[in-house]
Amino acid sequence: MNQKELRQEFGRKAEAVSAVVTPVADLAQAFAQAARLTAQQGGQCLAAPGWEADELAALQAACELEGLELITQGLRARTGEFHTGLTRAQWGVAETGTIVMESSSEELRLASMLSEVHVAVLPAAKLRADLFALEDELNRTLAGAPGYLAFISGPSRTGDIELVLTLGAHGPRQLHIMLLEEGS
Amino acid sequence: MSRASRRQYHQRLKGALDNTFLGQTLARFQGNYRGSRQAGFAGMDFEALAAEVGAAKDAALGQLEALYQQFKAQAEAAGATVHLAHDAAHAREIIADIAAQTGSRRIIKSKSMTSEEIHLNRHLEAQGLKVTETDLGEWIIQLRGEGPSHMVAPAIHLSRSQVAELFTQVTGEKQDPEDIASLVEVARQRLRQTMLEADMGISGANFALASTGSIATVTNEGNARLVTTLPKVHVALVGLEKLVPDLHTALKILQLLPRSATGQLISTYVTWVTGAVECAANGGKKELHIVFLDNGRLALSQDPVFSQALRCLRCGSCANVCPIFGKVGGHNYGHVYIGAIGLILTYFYHGREAAQELVGNCLNCQACKVNCPADIDLPALIKKTAGLVMAEQGRPLKNQLLRRVLTNRPLFHFLLRRAYLAQKPLAGGGRLIRHLPLFFAPDQEFRSLPVVAAEPLRDRWQRLAPKVSKPRLKVALFGGCLVDFVYPEQAEAFLGLIQGKDIQVDYARDQSCCGLPAAMASEEETAREVARQNLAALDAKQHDYVLTLCASCASHLKKYPALLADDPVWSQRARHLAAKVIDLASFLQKEVGLKPSAEQDKAVAYHAPCHLCRGLGVHEAPKELLREAGYDYRPYDDEEVCCGFGGSYSLDFPELSAAILERKLRQVAATGADTLVTDCPGCVLQLEGGLDHLGSPIKVRHLAQALAEAKDK
């Protein structure tokens, strides 16, 4: 698969599991999108752990524009208050529409588990055809113990009542993937 | 086997069959699953991948202790504590001790079949601990005080109304059964708080990677992520058979597990935890305990036959495709572990008493086997497990009789001839017996039974044998008991089809029953003895083909090499014979080439015998022949689902046999077909008997008859 096919396949498969894929030109655009959709859904707080200082400055600006509070740590104490969790994803898997997220930091996990909406920024250059194509990278990540690694495909779901598919069981109700065009 | 326990089990089965909601839910579940699974595996070579996973699991099972040591070293280097529990009680103690030492009072759990296996909740609650299941289905059944009825969908036996009623009680607020999203919301709200307050999280694991000491969970709801993240202590309870050498093996399995479980290409969350990760609630680092459970697994992994059972990935597909599960649900088709694998594991993990009634409840229809992502020969293992139960309990009288009669062909055939005389007054001159004296066969009235033929095929053979001077093909016909003694007309129809085609057909007089009934009754030695007799009677070397009109016989003859693998005298002949066995449709397509007929005025539906479509892998040939013969062929969803016969199964479990048959016949009737065609005399017996009992005008024909009748037109 070439880059274009990877992108198409990833988009198709991610949408098939109810994720929303939005191509963005740069981080600023990703931040603006994340802030806007938070505000549109009535959220007042955005949790964004794990970003660099200069990136946070841009995100802070985007949040201010939408009138949102930005938090970057102490998420446990703020459970139920942050609407959106904004994180990076390290890789994307076209075959299944999966994002791979290194989340050894507890704050990263809380942002992607306890939010109503998870927004993940994924560089398009990090798309791979399938999990086997990522084996070396995954092995290196697992070897860096202790660690917590997650494959995420769509928002949380359950079929436990009469097999009726329902989104938003215990995790985020929505998963937005901002597919970043520029180099990582 | 005590009569009381048998009676009780049949009462439970009847209760389940009377539960209309359960029947509808399970039917919808199985129907949806079939479609989702097919879509999930589209474009993949399932058989090859399953064989690969089976081999990879076997390799891991061969070195469990080494993998455990490697895992322990890696995980402990990363800050985890690794325990090995010898049995259920030991595992419960270890976990209760961890709770005591860490001062954990409030425990949350994500779904773990292994914790169900050791009845963990009961033990922890008895210590005064508060245990809350967080998987929605598990929470529902915990609130109801039930066990899971499916390994993947534990509350599948319940309706939305029952859940709404339960949640109304739990919340004190009226819940709308039609609004499933709001029912899910109840669990989300309630459990979120419980999870935030918990001291300890207990999870299972789908994989344990020896190479890195990582454990992985495969889930959809996201509760396992919270259970492994929020509390200060994480305990993972893991069956030893979940150990795999490396990520590559795990990824191979992961390709098949979600697809087999629900048809999803991958589950929503696959989470890998390595060592003591960051946890603010515990002053920076999580306390992680990984408790491996042996409970018989190490011994089982060394068993040359049963180690296969440990390949199980817990996908639940063996239940999803099982016609029996589809009728009675998991509470009546398993103990803790559900479905075909449950019938086997119950004996090993929970003992004979829990397994003794369950283990006989298998049609041997092979649906589980061909769908198993770990390539486990489930029906064969079930029969072997039944053999173990029997060895413990002593062989029942019917097995002793079976052995005596089946190994003595002249006696067996004498009895069959006598049956003709005995049944005469019951049949009243017809071809079917509609009412049996009740003392003879209770619960058998769901179908009429065929009468034994006045003159068996073997007695007609001299008259019937084709006279061919220069044969281009030599065929040995294997009749099987039903064609020989009940339906010789099916063989006559076959001979009509090949008339004038220069095909010599021989019928060896000393051939006997193929031995499948003995194998079904876990009488392996009898099955071997009968196989030897047939090998002595049929000389495959002299023939191009060994043809049988019975799919069950054909697939069993194909098993002779495995059955006699260790027999120095007969193993080679068994291989020769098996290589030449062929079914009617394949033979006609390959060697005869019937002329296409003009359009017939008959609409036909087809029933695919289990041992033809799954046993021999023949799917399309019979239907192609019917179309070529000019019939208006009408498909239906359950064409390849068992008719419920299963030989002696229909005598042992008549209530289920009848229910499975009824579903099939309803679908056949809905096609509007006037004839139902199949190519196994056992299926003919069941289908014809059922239709006659219903007073249906639909006629049943063996494929040979249907083709012969079309030709005659």
Side-chain angles (χ1 to χ4, degrees), chain A residues 76 95 106 109 112-113 116 135 146-149 151-154 156-158 160 162-163 169-171 173, chain B residues 28-29 134-135 137 160 185 188 192 220-221 225 228-230 248 266 268 270-272 274 276 278 280:
Chain A
R76 200 180 266 267
E95 187 200 11
E106 189 182 42
R109 273 180 273 148
S112 65
M113 292 175 190
E116 297 291 291
E135 228 179 288
Y148 199 110
L149 178 68
F151 303 169
I152 301 174
S153 312
S156 152
R157 69 200 55 214
T158 183
D160 274 356
E162 289 194 15
L163 292 173
H170 288 297
R173 300 172 198 273
Chain B
R28 196 171 57 232
F29 171 48
T134 61
D135 172 86
R160 59 186 78 189
E185 194 59 28
R188 183 185 171 96
R192 178 66 58 94
N220 277 325
E221 293 185 5
R225 283 154 50 85
T228 56
T229 292
L230 293 176
H248 186 75
I266 192 167
T268 306
V270 181
T271 300
W272 308 79
T274 313
E278 216 180 275

Side-chain angles (χ1 to χ4, degrees), chain A residues 71-107:
Chain A
I71 58 172
T72 60
Q73 57 191 346
L75 266 56
R76 200 180 266 267
R78 303 289 304 269
T79 301
E81 294 174 38
F82 56 91
H83 180 85
T84 301
L86 176 63
T87 72
R88 289 173 198 279
Q90 277 66 49
W91 296 285
V93 180
E95 187 200 11
T96 50
T98 301
I99 57 170
V100 176
M101 188 180 154
E102 204 292 309
S103 43
S104 302
S105 145
E106 189 182 42
E107 302 285 12

Side-chain angles (χ1 to χ4, degrees), chain B residues 640-688:
Chain B
E640 292 199 341
V641 176
C642 182
C643 65
F645 178 56
S648 59
Y649 180 85
S650 63
L651 302 174
D652 293 338
F653 293 92
E655 66 284 66
L656 270 164
S657 178
I660 292 164
L661 174 63
E662 192 261 343
R663 178 182 156 104
K664 165 134 283 199
L665 294 180
R666 202 157 10 96
Q667 288 199 16
V668 169
T671 65
D674 43 54
T675 306
L676 175 57
V677 179
T678 187
D679 27 12
C680 180
C683 304
V684 169
L685 182 155
Q686 173 89 344
L687 298 166
E688 190 174 53

Side-chain angles (χ1 to χ4, degrees), chain B residues 121-132:
Chain B
N121 291 9
R122 213 188 296 161
H123 182 77
L124 296 178
E125 282 162 359
Q127 319 272 315
L129 304 172
K130 171 102 181 103
V131 183
T132 308

Side-chain angles (χ1 to χ4, degrees), chain B residues 149-187:
Chain B
S149 71
H150 190 280
M151 299 200 290
V152 174
I156 189 59
H157 58 292
L158 297 173
S159 70
R160 59 186 78 189
S161 317
Q162 286 168 297
V163 176
E165 214 173 286
L166 178 73
F167 284 8
T168 299
Q169 283 169 22
V170 169
T171 58
E173 282 165 43
K174 182 84 190 126
Q175 301 294 331
D176 177 5
E178 290 316 312
D179 189 356
I180 289 183
S182 74
L183 294 175
V184 173
E185 194 59 28
V186 168

Side-chain angles (χ1 to χ4, degrees), chain B residues 263-289:
Chain B
Q264 287 172 276
L265 306 187
I266 192 167
S267 300
T268 306
Y269 302 110
V270 181
T271 300
W272 308 79
V273 177
T274 313
V277 289
E278 216 180 275
C279 179
N282 199 42
K285 278 233 176 301
K286 172 84 79 182
E287 178 158 350
L288 170 64
H289 293 267

